[in-house]
Amino acid sequence: MPGRRPMSLCVAVTAALTLLAGCGGEPAPAGGRPVAGASAPGFPLTVSNCGVETTYQHPPRRAVSLNQHATEVMLALGLEKSMVGTGYLDDAILPEYRAAYDGIKVLSKEYPSFEAMLAVEPDLVYGGFSTTFDEKEGRSRAAFTKAGVNTRLNIEECATGPVTMADMDKEIREVAKTFGVPQRAEQRIGALHAVLDQVDAKLAGVEPVKLFVYDSGDKNAFTAGGRGIGNEMINRAGAVNLFADVDKAFGNVSFEQVAERAPEVIVIYDYGDQPVADKKKFLLANPALKDVPAIRNQRFAVLPLSSTVLGVRVPGAVESLARQIHPERFR
């Protein structure tokens, strides 16, 4: 993954400590709280997100992020000073964001309770997966709204069509705009697309390979369908997703279906308590797959799950996958 760490420095330029626009753009007294009636450039701002419309009077100052990709979008935009809590990682934070992340309170290993989140007095809760706002657990977006807390959900979770790199750009831009730092989004997007452009150049004219994603499952295979960013990643890495016809981001298929489609490469998504080695062993021993080319040739690739959902890791994951399935193009 390309290494970048944008930094945000607020400079005291008057006796009243007026904050620069790059840090939210609002005048603030020495205590750090905005002056009553003060307005940041671009605010009030109304954002429509996954069916919820929110008007922000000023950039959030006490955000909580949940799930790896939401947290890393914020860190990539240099927003750690606007974060009062985080939780639920699938992997280690990218090295370039580690120092910033270490300064943020971890509320829980997985999802914190509604009460635990309210205890840090957030003004925004930003979730990567829809499970962040699980109504049965009392964490619905409506419950937060009632408590006076705004919410945002990663747009992959409510996409009505195939998710593409344009959605990655949109997610980053909307988060940056919400926090009053739109210029940082353009810098970040430019760097991410530079990685994609380099991969495109390396793969020019390559013959796409037939690929199957194995996420998990023993009775059926939980795989990447055609609606999530994973499908776009596969295409950009010089492959064809054999289950792009599954009309959602992820779905179950039978191992017999996998055998019929005869993948040349199997990509294993790495996360949770089941090691990649165990997943590979299971696939190699599955009688339904014995004649599959990828199994016969033991041709596997591996991606961390955190890199296969909509966030700043996506271009780096495209490069990683391309290197694994077309190594001859990267020598």
Side-chain angles (χ1 to χ4, degrees):
M1 206 67 53
R4 303 164 297 277
R5 183 190 293 167
M7 298 299 291
S8 170
L9 294 177
C10 294
V11 182
V13 294
T14 68
L17 294 179
T18 300
L19 292 182
L20 294 176
C23 296
E26 290 197 72
R33 295 188 180 278
V35 175
S39 177
F43 290 82
L45 172 70
T46 299
V47 178
S48 182
N49 167 248
C50 291
V52 176
E53 189 171 279
T54 304
T55 297
Y56 297 88
Q57 299 301 323
H58 52 74
R61 306 180 188 91
R62 300 185 59 82
V64 169
S65 67
L66 296 169
N67 305 124
Q68 187 107 19
H69 47 314
T71 296
E72 289 183 343
V73 165
M74 292 197 65
L75 296 178
L77 291 169
L79 295 170
E80 61 273 11
K81 298 300 184 183
S82 299
M83 300 169 69
V84 294
T86 188
Y88 214 147
L89 298 183
D90 287 309
D91 297 296
I93 286 287
L94 289 170
E96 57 264 40
Y97 307 140
R98 186 77 218 188
Y101 174 80
D102 285 345
I104 304 165
K105 182 178 182 179
V106 176
L107 302 182
S108 68
K109 183 179 179 181
E110 295 187 355
Y111 288 127
S113 67
F114 183 70
E115 292 74 20
M117 282 190 270
L118 292 187
V120 297
E121 300 181 350
D123 52 8
L124 173 68
V125 175
Y126 174 27
F129 295 120
S130 57
T131 46
T132 300
F133 302 111
D134 190 333
E135 186 172 358
K136 293 179 181 177
E137 296 292 329
R139 300 191 307 266
S140 69
R141 296 185 75 175
F144 280 109
T145 298
K146 187 176 180 179
V149 180
N150 294 323
T151 57
R152 177 177 178 85
L153 178 61
N154 184 289
I155 59 174
E156 186 172 20
E157 294 295 283
C158 60
T160 57
V163 177
T164 68
M165 296 300 168
D167 295 295
M168 175 188 73
D169 298 350
K170 180 180 179 181
E171 181 73 8
I172 294 168
R173 283 191 176 110
E174 285 191 353
V175 173
K177 192 173 182 181
T178 298
F179 282 84
V181 289
Q183 72 286 353
R184 297 186 199 173
E186 301 315 308
Q187 296 167 359
R188 181 63 47 230
I189 290 167
L192 294 174
H193 279 270
V195 176
L196 293 172
D197 291 344
Q198 290 168 8
V199 174
D200 286 346
K202 293 281 190 182
L203 297 182
V206 78
E207 182 70 26
V209 300
K210 296 192 296 181
L211 181 148
F212 158 64
V213 169
Y214 179 67
D215 176 288
S216 58
D218 54 1
K219 305 301 181 187
N220 292 296
F222 195 55
T223 191
R227 288 214 173 225
I229 192 64
N231 186 68
E232 169 91 339
M233 289 170 51
I234 290 165
N235 293 337
R236 297 291 292 257
V240 175
N241 178 11
L242 291 180
F243 289 96
D245 57 337
V246 173
D247 195 25
K248 45 190 171 182
F250 290 91
N252 283 306
V253 298
S254 72
F255 286 107
E256 289 71 24
Q257 286 175 293
V258 177
E260 288 170 6
R261 300 189 185 193
E264 299 167 284
V265 175
I266 295 174
V267 179
I268 296 173
Y269 283 1
D270 182 19
Y271 68 100
D273 297 329
Q274 188 178 19
V276 167
D278 287 355
K279 290 184 176 182
K280 191 180 295 186
K281 183 178 179 181
F282 166 75
L283 293 170
L284 290 169
N286 191 317
L289 302 179
K290 62 184 178 64
D291 295 322
V292 166
I295 295 296
R296 288 202 312 267
N297 299 323
Q298 297 194 29
R299 194 174 176 192
F300 295 96
V302 178
L303 287 175
L305 180 66
S306 58
S307 294
T308 67
V309 288
L310 196 67
V312 294
R313 288 183 180 234
V314 167
V318 170
E319 181 182 19
S320 173
L321 182 56
R323 285 179 178 276
Q324 291 178 77
I325 62 180
H326 296 291
E328 73 285 354
R329 293 299 185 106
F330 291 86
R331 287 173 186 154

